[in-house]
Amino acid sequence: MSAQPMSLFAVLALTLGVALQAAAASPPAKTGRRPPARVSFIEAPSSETPAAREKRLKRECRGRPNAGACLGHTR
């Protein structure tokens, strides 16, 4: 009868060892999303440079009242 409890103990120890090894091998669960490393903004094809905007406002605001988008460009 002493062989049966020993084999039961060996099976339990083997099962516990396999379970611990599987738990250690699995990667940790991700809890949330990480922010991106670098954010890049893509300019729209219709965007204008500050110099081009300045030229356009001087051209469009000639002779108009000094208000709204033309503020400072009617001189």
Side-chain angles (χ1 to χ4, degrees):
M1 264 202 138
S2 68
Q4 190 176 10
M6 263 319 212
S7 64
L8 181 62
F9 176 73
V11 169
L12 286 175
L14 182 63
T15 306
L16 181 64
V18 170
L20 287 176
Q21 185 180 14
S26 65
K30 292 185 179 181
T31 58
R33 295 183 65 194
R34 293 188 329 181
R38 185 187 323 175
V39 177
S40 59
F41 295 97
I42 301 171
E43 297 225 7
S46 63
S47 65
E48 61 184 356
T49 63
R53 180 178 186 271
E54 193 76 24
K55 280 183 173 180
R56 179 181 56 81
L57 284 175
K58 280 187 181 181
R59 182 179 66 246
E60 291 178 358
C61 293
R62 194 172 324 162
R64 296 213 172 107
N66 199 11
C70 293
L71 186 64
H73 292 283
T74 58
R75 298 178 197 164

